Amino acid sequence: METATVSNETEYVPGAWRHEILRRRTFAIISHPDAGKTTLTEKLLFFAGAIDRAGSVRPKKQRKTATSDWMAMEQVRGISITSTVLQFEYEGRLLNLLDTPGHQDFSEDTYRTLTAVDCAVMVLDAAKGIEPQTLKLFEVCRLRRLPILTFVNKMDQPSLEPVELFDSIERVLRISACPVNWPVGLGADFRGVAELDSRRFIPYHRMGGYSSGEELALDSEEFVRDAGTGNARQLSEELELLGGVVASFDRERFLKGEQTPIFFGSALHDFGVEAFLNALVEHAPPPQARAGKQGPVDPLEAGFSAFVFKIQGNMDPNHRDNMAFLRICSGRFERDMQVYSARLGKKIRMTRMHRLFARERETLEEAFAGDVVGVVNPGMFTIGDTLSAEPGVEYGRIPSFPPEHFAVLRCLDMSRNKQFRKGIAQLAEEGVAQLYHDPEAARWEPILGAVGKLQFDVMQSRLLQEYGVTTTVDFLPYECACWPQGSAEALARVRWPSFGFGLVRDHQDRLVCLFRSRWDRDHFTPDYPDIVWSDMG
Ligand code: G4P
């Protein structure tokens, strides 16, 4: 694997740094599970030359991501739980691809990852169109005004009518859609795509994707013969129809997240992937200015700054340590650099910084704005921390999702209680679940809050694998948590319900109310208008 670092002997001038920063493209792929995110990731790596052979990084059936298979549960369940980082070069650009879990129970992890990218790729299953998780993730991208490129996958299989797909992207996602190519024939009769700009037909071969040099002009007889008369006629009708309603590609609107270019293809059959990769490197923006509390921080003008968007423990059994993932927002980061932690109010020496490629890690001498690096975290960093060369920079905190499921986790073997506590603390710090306790309880028992139930399975599985602790989960009948904020007097006046309600404390010792339903909460809280009831921890 080629490294992205530049020789340490280089005499750096700001111009060289600028070049390094400007060539970076940091993006994530979002999709509903099974739409083909993993397959597309793998094919992008393949076409960029980062892996020798698609499929080589994971065994079939066992794999669900090209990379993030370090947790046993991911392999058994076939879902991607953790996010990983892939860095690779293509056409002089340096791409940082942040993998995200597709399952909705891990939306919080995905959300945090989306705070660390400048662009997103949305993969749709051509037979299903916009699915619930796609919509949810898209809304997060919209909040961040992220530019999005869309890949409509599995065109080799029966699919929805392209006009219907196009229409639902515009209607459901409320974004202007701009097709870059258009399918010719569908399902078993899929013949290829017509490139709208060049007015060329790119044929698809069921057994072998596509070979360059086979393109045909849309107005040629060969095209009609290859595509079939019916398909050629339908294409011309659809293009005429689209001509009246489709906006042409507008890069400014794309960069503001108002327009998405759409590419039809088949990741599994290598069809349309290379063109998509070319468009990605051409259109995805370089590292963008990020809003700090003191105003926007320019990646090129400011000194080093970064924020922690993810903590991951025990990534590799050979390196049983805790890794903080940093997105570098401005400037250059170098080994042994002293950085200032805005939360701790002190400087920290960064001795071991890693470039992460799936399970592998490699010590880095330097990294630039746009990069995502891992630093070994001896309990010094938490999610949302800002680190900078000089004090005075602080990025906004990353909100956590309101939990919807609650349970008590019990350790079955009391002789492993110490490991149990250690594991719980570590996993809560990583954000696998939120941790509470009942201050009135006779003995300490962790109460967990999670966005999705699978998070409890992850917790149990990791406690067993990494800490040798067997646990049971007893679900609690609550549906929402609320953090009351007010003066001590106002809080003392509250008459807490005696039934269907829980009062616990979180890891920062803040009071948390657990309600059986949102209805209960919405009927209780208005009685105390001098208290702010926040559902974000
Ligand atoms: P995900 O990460 O979004 O969850 O999806 P993933 O890439 O794992 O793809 C889900 C399934 O869809 C896989 O099949 C994959 O091979 C298949 N797939 C992906 N892209 C295409 C495509 O362009 N055309 C077709 N026909 N299928 C595609 P699987 O049976 O679940 O796994 P496997 O047996 O292939 O490993």
Side-chain angles (χ1 to χ4, degrees):
M1 184 78 239
E2 235 178 79
T3 73
T5 53
V6 181
S7 159
N8 213 21
E9 285 147 31
T10 315
E11 198 53 49
Y12 274 107
V13 289
W17 294 13
R18 289 178 83 85
H19 171 72
E20 281 302 328
I21 294 172
L22 287 171
R23 77 187 191 104
R24 274 148 167 85
R25 300 290 181 271
T26 305
F27 68 104
I29 306 189
I30 58 169
S31 75
H32 192 88
D34 267 351
K37 179 167 67 72
T38 311
T39 311
L40 182 64
T41 300
E42 204 169 58
K43 295 301 172 89
L44 290 175
L45 293 174
F46 172 68
F47 280 104
I51 55 174
D52 294 343
R53 185 167 58 86
S56 59
V57 282
R58 55 180 180 165
K60 225 173 140 67
K61 280 294 172 202
Q62 253 196 352
R63 61 96 172 109
K64 271 295 165 183
T65 97
T67 58
S68 55
D69 61 346
W70 63 73
M71 283 161 63
M73 251 197 76
E74 292 190 325
Q75 294 181 351
V76 174
R77 299 251 183 166
I79 49 172
S80 165
I81 295 167
T82 43
S83 312
T84 54
V85 189
L86 300 163
Q87 190 178 64
F88 56 102
E89 300 230 16
Y90 184 66
E91 300 282 313
R93 301 264 194 260
L94 198 132
L95 288 91
N96 290 307
L97 196 178
L98 275 59
D99 188 19
T100 55
H103 197 285
Q104 59 166 353
D105 283 13
F106 306 106
S107 340
E108 194 159 4
D109 200 15
T110 303
Y111 177 84
R112 289 191 208 114
T113 301
L114 289 175
T115 64
V117 297
D118 300 304
C119 180
V121 165
M122 176 167 71
V123 184
L124 302 181
D125 182 330
K128 298 185 176 150
I130 312 288
E131 296 178 84
Q133 186 65 359
T134 328
L135 180 59
K136 216 166 158 178
L137 294 169
F138 176 84
E139 291 299 347
V140 175
C141 294
R142 192 206 302 282
L143 273 178
R144 292 212 53 232
R145 296 187 182 199
L146 279 181
I148 298 176
L149 291 106
T150 303
F151 188 81
V152 181
N153 191 28
K154 306 196 187 180
M155 287 308 298
D156 56 299
Q157 287 195 327
S159 70
L160 298 173
E161 286 291 333
V163 174
E164 199 183 322
L165 274 162
F166 169 79
D167 183 54
S168 74
I169 294 172
E170 291 220 313
R171 203 171 20 81
V172 180
L173 301 183
R174 290 176 284 118
I175 186 169
S176 157
C178 167
V180 174
N181 62 23
W182 196 256
V184 178
L186 288 185
D189 195 30
F190 178 59
R191 301 292 178 94
V193 291
E195 280 182 352
L196 301 194
D197 256 3
S198 66
R199 300 203 56 84
R200 288 182 321 165
F201 170 64
I202 316 289
Y204 162 78
H205 304 296
R206 203 147 288 275
M207 300 313 289
Y210 144 80
S211 326
S212 67
E214 290 182 313
E215 304 87 355
L216 298 170
L218 287 186
D219 53 11
S220 66
E221 280 175 18
E222 290 90 339
F223 161 63
V224 179
R225 201 178 50 231
D226 255 37
T229 320
N231 287 330
R233 193 182 319 113
Q234 179 160 0
L235 175 74
S236 101
E237 282 168 14
E238 284 176 347
L239 294 191
E240 204 179 316
L241 181 82
L242 286 174
V245 289
V246 167
S248 52
F249 181 65
D250 177 340
R251 188 149 189 268
E252 284 309 307
R253 293 190 69 203
F254 159 72
L255 291 176
K256 286 188 203 152
E258 294 171 4
Q259 188 187 69
T260 179
I262 300 177
F263 300 76
F264 291 87
S266 164
L268 188 65
H269 296 288
D270 297 347
F271 188 72
V273 178
E274 199 171 2
F276 185 73
L277 178 60
N278 287 329
L280 179 69
V281 291
E282 187 183 344
H283 299 307
Q288 299 292 290
R290 184 165 293 262
K293 287 190 181 158
Q294 299 73 15
V297 179
D298 188 310
L300 294 167
E301 302 302 329
F304 164 77
S305 73
F307 69 94
V308 178
F309 68 95
K310 179 180 168 67
I311 304 271
Q312 177 78 52
N314 302 331
M315 280 177 66
D316 181 339
N318 298 324
H319 302 96
R320 277 207 168 270
D321 51 17
N322 184 338
M323 190 73 85
F325 287 59
L326 306 186
R327 155 72 201 234
I328 304 179
C329 303
S330 61
R332 172 175 171 262
F333 188 37
E334 61 186 23
R335 190 174 178 171
D336 284 338
M337 192 175 192
Q338 295 249 17
V339 299
Y340 182 82
S341 159
R343 183 178 54 84
L344 299 175
K346 65 172 189 182
K347 285 222 161 187
I348 302 168
R349 181 180 292 280
M350 309 291 268
T351 44
R352 286 173 63 205
M353 177 175 73
H354 300 279
R355 185 170 79 101
L356 306 160
F357 188 92
R359 270 190 194 190
E360 289 155 30
R361 56 169 85 166
E362 183 183 288
T363 304
L364 275 181
E365 296 300 327
E366 63 178 357
F368 293 90
D371 285 342
V372 169
V373 296
V375 286
V376 175
N377 176 28
M380 212 111 68
F381 309 115
T382 65
I383 291 167
D385 275 3
T386 301
L387 304 170
S388 55
E390 299 298 331
V393 184
E394 200 170 349
Y395 295 109
R397 68 185 283 263
I398 303 176
S400 46
F401 273 30
E404 293 173 23
H405 302 275
F406 301 86
V408 177
L409 203 61
R410 293 199 173 91
C411 172
L412 289 180
D413 177 0
M414 287 315 285
S415 70
R416 299 204 60 81
N417 206 30
K418 203 169 143 205
Q419 288 84 349
F420 175 57
R421 279 181 173 250
K422 196 171 158 204
I424 289 277
Q426 167 62 32
L427 297 174
E429 192 189 329
E430 286 178 30
V432 176
Q434 293 183 19
L435 178 61
Y436 320 108
H437 68 278
D438 178 356
E440 307 288 318
R443 70 187 176 97
W444 180 84
E445 269 186 339
I447 297 171
L448 302 175
V451 178
K453 279 192 169 177
L454 275 179
Q455 286 175 260
F456 296 111
D457 294 7
V458 171
M459 203 93 182
Q460 285 192 284
S461 156
R462 289 191 56 189
L463 282 169
L464 182 62
Q465 301 276 334
E466 296 164 22
Y467 298 89
V469 178
T470 310
T471 51
T472 55
V473 165
D474 289 328
F475 284 98
L476 298 169
Y478 304 121
E479 199 178 79
C480 63
C482 225
W483 280 256
Q485 287 154 26
S487 65
E489 298 77 42
L491 287 169
R493 278 196 297 274
V494 180
R495 294 166 68 86
W496 303 111
S498 51
F499 179 73
F501 173 82
L503 208 52
V504 293
R505 297 234 163 222
D506 70 7
H507 65 293
Q508 292 177 35
D509 210 35
R510 294 176 305 177
L511 204 57
V512 188
C513 311
L514 306 180
F515 290 97
R516 279 207 175 186
S517 65
R518 286 178 191 84
W519 191 91
D520 282 0
R521 179 197 60 195
D522 295 345
H523 278 76
F524 178 76
T525 52
D527 289 345
Y528 301 96
D530 48 351
I531 289 178
V532 178
W533 302 89
S534 164
D535 66 356
M536 289 283 200

